[in-house]
Amino acid sequence: MPDPIREIFRYHYWATFTIIDHLATLPPERLNDSVPGTAGPILDTLKHLVNADRMYQVLLQDQPRPPRDENSYTLQELRDKFEAQSKKWEEILDHVDDFDPTLRNGEGEFPHARDLFITQAIHHGNDHRTHICTIIGAMGQEVPEIDEWTFWFSSQH
Amino acid sequence: MNDPIHDLFRYHTWATLTLLDFCLGLPDEELDKTAPGTMGTIRETFTHLIASDAGYQARMRADPSVRIPDAESRSLSELREIFIEKSKGWQAVLDDLGSFDPAIEAHEDYPRIAHARNLLLTQALHHGNDHRTHICGVLGANGHEIPWMDAWAFWAEEQG
């Protein structure tokens, strides 16, 4: 049976692509919608999700943090970025035992942070996908099915 | 280093208890608040999260007794104690993961699923995260502080 971490990451890619593809069917002005209790407008949340996901990859490889990204992106550009990142995750997972990064922050240096970055990447994607779904639901729109059951049946396990 | 799956489940337990303890510190009537786009009240969402989590573990173990009977009639404090026990059960599953190869019997919504181990692990983690975020959404929409409970906070607490 495949490694469960591989399944968890493949779910992470699939759920993010499913959300992006659903958002592409909405009127573009809806991407600026938000509701209280979430992380901000839909497109801003998605950009944050994708950029943070990249940062976790960089930190897991023990490389310096990338500079803050002030650019604006279209949905398609974010999809393309995330597509490249999902391929990068697969490469990382192929050699995950070779990584032993150190977390460096204002409070010091903390070794053996690999599982922190993996846990945060999975949590962070889930958290912000739910924020986006909450906004979609609050707008009275249909919310896409993005649970693991749907992934399982759609991906011919 | 541990296998990352252990940390993902330890985080799942920690985040759920952190959020639950925060909510149990609120006036009781706040637990019946909700917000548009979420799944219901804080109380209902926690009950669903914890009962479903036990259900996934019951399927993993092929042991219906792991489910929580009458979860809807239990208080959140009661469910908190049950969740702590069930979380120990998850760690025991992870310690011996290779010996689990569950099948899920056919349901009106889906056919029989063989080799469902990774499905159940992934769904348990996704489901907990999803509903914790719903509860945080309800808190924020009702003007409450949202507790810091991402993996950075988990790590910081573990590092002491």
Side-chain angles (χ1 to χ4, degrees), chain B residues 113-135:
Chain B
I113 306 169
H115 311 304
R117 185 193 74 183
N118 290 346
L119 180 159
L120 291 167
L121 295 173
T122 305
Q123 174 63 14
L125 293 171
H126 154 72
H127 188 263
N129 232 319
D130 191 38
H131 291 307
R132 286 191 300 272
T133 303
H134 284 145
I135 292 166

Side-chain angles (χ1 to χ4, degrees), chain A residues 2 11 114 120 123 126-127 130, chain B residues 2 118 126 129-130 133 151:
Chain A
Y11 166 75
R114 182 196 71 180
Q120 176 63 12
H123 154 71
N126 247 317
D127 193 37
T130 301
Chain B
N2 279 334
N118 290 346
H126 154 72
N129 232 319
D130 191 38
T133 303

Side-chain angles (χ1 to χ4, degrees), chain A residues 12-43:
Chain A
H12 170 59
Y13 322 141
W14 171 85
T16 305
F17 287 132
T18 300
I19 291 262
I20 294 173
D21 292 345
H22 181 83
L23 293 174
T25 69
L26 299 179
E29 62 272 19
R30 294 267 74 91
L31 302 183
N32 296 319
D33 283 351
S34 183
V35 295
T38 61
I42 289 173
L43 195 58

Side-chain angles (χ1 to χ4, degrees), chain A residues 1-5 7-8 11 36-37 56 59 99-100 103 110-120 122-123 126-127 130-131 134 137-138 146-149 152-153, chain B residues 1-5 7-8 11 36-38 56 59 97 100-101 104 110-111 113 115 117-119 121-123 125-126 129-130 133-134 137 140-141 150-152 155 159:
Chain A
M1 219 180 303
D3 176 359
I5 294 296
E7 172 78 13
I8 289 164
Y11 166 75
Y56 304 138
L59 294 176
F99 294 102
D100 185 15
L103 169 65
F110 303 93
H112 312 309
R114 182 196 71 180
D115 293 353
L116 162 67
F117 299 135
I118 288 174
T119 303
Q120 176 63 12
I122 294 302
H123 154 71
N126 247 317
D127 193 37
T130 301
H131 285 145
T134 296
I146 58 162
D147 64 10
E148 164 67 10
W149 301 102
W152 187 271
F153 290 118
Chain B
M1 264 185 288
N2 279 334
D3 186 300
I5 192 73
D7 265 14
L8 281 162
Y11 168 73
T38 62
Y56 302 137
R59 284 170 159 161
L97 200 52
F100 289 92
D101 184 16
I104 300 174
Y110 48 80
I113 306 169
H115 311 304
R117 185 193 74 183
N118 290 346
L119 180 159
L121 295 173
T122 305
Q123 174 63 14
L125 293 171
H126 154 72
N129 232 319
D130 191 38
T133 303
H134 284 145
D150 61 11
W152 305 112
W155 172 270
Q159 298 286 313

